[in-house]
Amino acid sequence: MYPGVFTMRKMFASKKSLALAVGLSVLLLSGCVTVPDSIRGTTETPQMNLVAVQGAPQIYVGQEARFGGRVVSVANDKNRTRLEIAAVPLDSSAAPVLGEPSIGRIVAYYNGFLDPVDFRNQLVTVVGPITGAENGTIGNAPYRFVTLNVNGYKRWREVKEVVMPPQPMGPWGWGYGGPYDPRWGRGFGPAWG
């Protein structure tokens, strides 16, 4: 037998210690990512498979769904706002995955006013019951949109990081190139005039 196997058997000899070890590992693995309260929904597992819903939306009417993506258009009626969303897959915190291609379009109806300036071309996740489908167009092509009523939503902020390459290292240290560097003479070398 391997030396590590004997110590593992000894360590997990009692059922209590095994249960404790499993419980701690599950807690550690699941404690990092959570879905924000505003889009958590009322069911444990809302529908997130847009392709399945597009195939037969009438089967899913009334079922809670969570979809997200980029808002393509915003239209305000008297008592509600219509969001057309180019849906993309969601990550474990229900945020749209950047760089993924669209998996389809949905129309989300919000009871109330949402300012188009705040939503157009923004990333959003919506949750609410599926209400069916409606016919429309994307450009000149006919399209059948899955529709839902919004019970909760979250706008996501895109964060762009710029990574600067390291400065070249000259004989005088990082980022200083000697007498031909415009910083030369600022306390690091000879100063003329």
Side-chain angles (χ1 to χ4, degrees), residues 53-125:
V53 176
Q54 285 174 321
Q58 66 280 5
I59 295 173
Y60 296 93
V61 170
Q63 185 176 349
E64 187 174 58
R66 183 186 304 132
F67 300 121
R70 190 165 302 278
V71 177
V72 177
S73 69
V74 181
N76 288 306
D77 292 334
K78 184 176 180 181
N79 296 322
R80 68 181 185 170
T81 302
R82 179 187 187 271
L83 300 173
E84 181 181 327
I85 301 168
V88 296
L90 302 178
D91 66 14
S92 58
S93 64
V97 178
L98 295 176
E100 288 292 317
S102 173
I103 54 176
R105 299 264 179 113
I106 66 164
V107 169
Y109 288 103
Y110 176 77
N111 289 326
F113 178 81
L114 297 176
D115 196 330
V117 172
D118 295 334
F119 284 86
R120 190 171 289 120
N121 202 27
Q122 298 296 310
L123 293 173
V124 67
T125 301

Side-chain angles (χ1 to χ4, degrees), residues 4 20 30 49 68 89 95 108 110 115 117 162 189:
L20 180 63
S30 67
N49 186 346
Y110 176 77
D115 196 330
V117 172
V162 177

Side-chain angles (χ1 to χ4, degrees), residues 4 6 12 21 27 30-31 35 38 42 45 91 104 110-111 114 118 122 127 138-140 143 146 164 188:
F6 178 71
F12 294 119
L27 182 64
S30 67
V35 175
S38 61
T42 58
T45 55
D91 66 14
Y110 176 77
N111 289 326
L114 297 176
D118 295 334
Q122 298 296 310
V127 65
I138 298 176
N140 292 327
Y143 193 84
V146 171
M164 298 296 292
F188 297 103

Side-chain angles (χ1 to χ4, degrees), residues 1-7 9:
M1 248 205 241
Y2 301 107
V5 174
F6 178 71
T7 57
R9 282 188 183 163

